[in-house]
Amino acid sequence: MDASTPDSAAIPAARSGGRVVVDQLLRQGVDRVFSVPGESFLPVLDGLYDVADRISLVVCRHEGSAANMADAHGKLTGRPGVCLVTRGPGATHASVGLHTAHQDSTPLVALVGLIPRGHREREAFQEIDLPGALGWTTKWVAEVDEAARLPELLARAFHVASSGRPGPVALGLPEDVLTEFVVVDDAPPARSTTTHPAPESVDETAESLERARRPLLLVGGGGWTPQASDELAGLAADTDLPVVAAFRRQDVLDNDDPRYVGVAGLGIDPALAQRLHDADLVVAIGPRLGDATTGGYTHLLVPRPRQQLVHVHPDPDELGRVYQPHLAIASNPEPFLAALRARRRISAPPWAAWRADARADYERFQEGNPEHGDVVLSAVMATLRDRLPRDAIVTNGAGNYTVWVHRYLRWHVYRTQLAPTSGAMGYGVPAAIAAKLHDPERVVVAFAGDGCFLMSAGEFATAVQYGLGVVFIVVNNRRYATIRMHQERQFPGRPFGTDVGPVDFAALARAHGAHGERVTHTDEFAPAFDRARSAGGPVLLDVVVEPDQLLPHATVTSIRAVERGGA
């Protein structure tokens, strides 16, 4: 053989585009893909058949759930979750999960099978303009035009999804690109980029803290890691700084830590809302500072808050987009917290009483309110607080029932709360399935309202198929309670379109061959939950609550009285 002739063993073999996709997933460390099968990506499914021992294919009942499972997997691992869906209806169904991943800053890669390239611009069967349909809900969206570029574009997708502010990426895979055979090298694993704070920014933050008398740390958003959570706990212990969790980010600090003082979100403790108003310094580490966390932009005023605001966020484009902070720092949470901790400790901080009072308010807010009906949800949450292991994963979707969950439960370990900051109904069920698949030994509890559960009820069959011991708790009040609440506030006594017909969810569970129980009194819940824990498979507890009870502190009757009295 001529010395200039390359060794034949170094020449890649020709592979179908579908097999190239699968090999790139392996290179990127993907171990699980969530999908509803479609004819547009059969070569990818065939490639996955060959690597079933290395990549698990989770077959879902709806593409929205597949995307939500990928979102939950991305949250749990810190690496992009992957969903594989078909064109038109599959992509648009999945868009709800991409929207959640975008607002939640979750790394996610959506692979979308498309029509053959030669059929474009004819409104072919299930044709979709992928960039036009998904551009607003993704960090980047593209279509692959030739199989030889698959390694390049897939590596880019994983890099973009996990770098800076994490988020979803959608990559379109035309059917004929997947059937095309090509000789091409694999791309190396993508490495995410992390932003770090400038030393002078850390110094300025520390100096602001030393001058403060009523400071708050407001933490949340994307890009967190277990190490970042540990750094936060260490900083709080070093400085006695009170820590407020952003909306649905209550697991960033152990809620038993005396420096944890509550969550800024829907159903916020009025005392905490007042404390946000009264603070002289807010150091926001990670959150975008959206309307749910800021009380509709009232706790912190736009564009320049009355409090001194230090805003730390991994994406420089987010800084200054809504708020004009006194100090903007482009950094991921972990390096910023580590750098701030490295500064000298603050001895005898002047805010000790401020922090202690804030913690006392938090403890007081966790005490139950008088509630109507035979099932008292605050007592149900207290039972769970006593029975759940510290590392139990709790998921939920959206609805007024979540106000009880966020108010009365406590989280202790980072990445045990899976909840959509986008306010998407139907999220809790698929998220719990992804969590149990990821860590079968941990207790996983999924909360859903009756309306919320019915948006992804088909995935209960997925839990049964895979034998997943998730405890699904359906808060059954026979109505869309959040919309009813707003309706009663604006049009008291004129309910319309917010009632949901009665459903026996326990019977639905039994129809799937699983265990289901109905809970109609508070004292029935504890033994039912204990039975659920030991059932060995998926269990659904149908918790029937009083429809009049809209919030822990408000009923339909009380809201009508206030609104009519105000009129």
Side-chain angles (χ1 to χ4, degrees), residues 20-62:
V20 173
V21 169
V22 172
D23 287 343
Q24 303 322 297
L25 295 180
L26 287 169
R27 295 278 286 184
Q28 299 302 331
V30 174
D31 59 4
R32 185 164 289 120
V33 172
F34 303 94
S35 181
V36 175
E39 68 269 29
S40 61
F41 54 84
L42 290 178
V44 178
L45 290 177
D46 188 66
L48 289 170
Y49 177 91
D50 291 331
V51 299
D53 58 331
R54 287 177 283 173
I55 298 179
S56 171
L57 179 68
V58 180
V59 181
C60 308
R61 272 55 179 178
H62 192 280

Side-chain angles (χ1 to χ4, degrees), residues 197 205 283-287 310-314 319 327-333 336:
T205 303
V283 182
I285 306 173
V310 176
H311 193 182
V312 183
H313 193 275
L319 296 167
L327 177 59
I329 302 175
S331 176
N332 283 72
F336 173 77

Side-chain angles (χ1 to χ4, degrees), residues 84-252:
L84 176 61
V85 301
T86 197
R87 51 212 180 194
T92 49
H93 282 166
S95 65
V96 64
L98 300 184
H99 180 263
T100 292
H102 184 68
Q103 293 219 325
D104 285 21
S105 302
T106 305
L108 187 153
V109 172
L111 303 178
V112 184
L114 297 178
I115 63 170
R117 289 166 291 181
H119 294 181
R120 292 171 175 167
E121 302 296 334
R122 296 174 176 171
E123 198 177 343
F125 180 64
Q126 296 185 345
E127 182 176 1
I128 187 172
D129 173 10
L130 202 66
L134 301 181
W136 194 86
T137 61
T138 55
K139 287 185 68 177
W140 177 59
V141 57
E143 296 182 9
V144 182
D145 275 333
E146 52 182 305
R149 295 196 66 192
L150 281 166
E152 169 203 346
L153 295 178
L154 279 160
R156 179 179 174 183
F158 279 83
H159 172 78
V160 171
S162 57
S163 295
R165 174 190 169 188
V169 166
L171 192 62
L173 308 174
E175 189 174 332
D176 55 332
V177 168
L178 298 177
T179 57
E180 179 182 327
F181 274 75
V182 65
V183 175
V184 64
D185 289 324
D186 292 325
R191 297 186 65 179
S192 61
T193 55
T194 302
T195 50
H196 292 255
E200 56 269 25
S201 296
V202 179
D203 291 343
E204 190 173 343
T205 303
E207 291 164 4
S208 295
L209 282 169
E210 289 167 357
R211 292 191 300 268
R213 293 298 178 268
R214 299 182 306 280
L216 291 173
L217 295 185
L218 179 57
V219 298
W224 283 78
T225 62
Q227 294 76 22
S229 179
D230 290 344
E231 292 287 357
L232 173 63
L235 177 66
D238 292 346
T239 60
D240 201 31
L241 282 165
V243 177
V244 180
F247 180 50
R248 294 182 170 171
R249 289 293 186 265
Q250 291 161 265
D251 60 354
V252 291

